[in-house]
Amino acid sequence: MADESNKVAAELRESFGKGAARKIRAAGKIPAVIYGHGTDPVHITVPAHQVGLLLRKANAVLDLDIAGKAELALVKDVQKDPVSQIIEHLDLILIRRGEKVTVEVPVHVEGEPYSGTIAMLEVSTIRLETEATHIPERIVIDVTDAPEGTQYLAKDFDLPQGSTLAEDEELLIVNIAVPASARAEDEETAAAEAAADAEAAGSAE
């Protein structure tokens, strides 16, 4: 949701190309483009440090001031340098208060499953349709004391008010299982015990 911390002073961008983009980044800014609602794309720059902090949250919404004009925009794509991880470019989508958008929301697992098991996150995000200015930061599932074989499907999540599932209801999100290493160790132990029992039986005969 947009608030004071999301207010970003943006500037219209008139220079393009790799050289221009390098100069923009050297000046502590990020080149970006805004599109949506049938409008022509608008090329802007935004302050790198401030926006970098806002992007720590998934599906960040920026309350932009572009030459005195206020616009709300959802961060749709972040392009980073694969080595330095410096943000090189942003794709933003215009949104309106009250409208619905489809977004990928991170899944967060809480609690510890039954002793000897682990919670395997099969899918790291879940797709929701939600109000553009009320996108949940994450969806939480509590796996406390869940036994082996427990499965949490997309339909099992408690969704925030105003959000609906945009996934297959049967999509497996979290699976409670015994680690393969522990299972292999148990099997080796069982095999060794069986061999020892067989040897003992043979000696008794």
Side-chain angles (χ1 to χ4, degrees):
M1 181 176 179
D3 54 30
E4 290 298 327
S5 63
N6 293 64
K7 291 186 180 297
V8 175
E11 298 175 356
L12 290 170
R13 177 162 57 106
E14 298 178 353
S15 56
F16 303 93
K18 290 185 177 179
R22 279 196 295 270
K23 289 180 180 179
I24 288 169
R25 290 192 289 271
K29 299 175 183 179
I30 304 170
V33 62
I34 312 173
Y35 55 92
H37 290 287
T39 61
D40 291 332
V42 177
H43 298 272
I44 62 171
T45 64
V46 293
H49 179 68
Q50 179 191 5
V51 172
L53 293 176
L54 293 173
L55 291 178
R56 292 179 179 179
K57 172 185 174 183
N59 301 307
V61 172
L62 307 182
D63 189 353
L64 299 170
D65 180 340
I66 309 171
K69 182 180 180 182
E71 295 280 14
L72 281 179
L74 172 67
V75 178
K76 193 63 176 177
D77 186 57
V78 180
Q79 297 170 28
K80 294 183 178 181
D81 181 279
V83 177
S84 67
Q85 290 298 298
I86 292 174
I87 300 172
E88 295 187 329
H89 190 271
L90 298 176
D91 285 358
L92 310 174
I93 295 181
L94 286 175
I95 57 175
R96 300 284 183 263
R97 295 184 188 279
E99 83 170 296
K100 294 273 190 175
V101 292
T102 300
V103 292
E104 298 279 348
V105 178
V107 175
H108 180 72
V109 178
E110 287 188 348
E112 294 292 335
Y114 190 77
S115 179
T117 67
I118 57 172
M120 300 176 64
L121 190 61
E122 303 291 342
V123 179
S124 61
T125 61
I126 187 168
R127 192 163 63 250
L128 302 180
E129 185 179 41
T130 184
E131 289 184 19
T133 52
H134 291 81
I135 300 173
E137 289 189 36
R138 59 187 184 178
I139 299 299
V140 178
I141 192 77
D142 188 348
V143 300
T144 300
D145 294 332
E148 179 188 3
T150 302
Q151 294 186 329
Y152 297 91
L153 309 179
K155 65 182 179 182
D156 298 325
F157 284 69
D158 291 326
L159 302 180
Q161 185 175 357
S163 296
T164 55
L165 190 63
E167 291 278 14
D168 177 356
E169 290 187 348
E170 301 300 319
L171 178 66
L172 177 61
I173 307 295
V174 179
N175 189 32
I176 307 301
V178 173
S181 58
R183 189 180 297 280
E185 186 177 326
D186 288 344
E187 289 175 354
E188 287 178 6
T189 300
E193 290 176 350
D197 290 344
E199 184 177 345
S203 298
E205 293 176 359

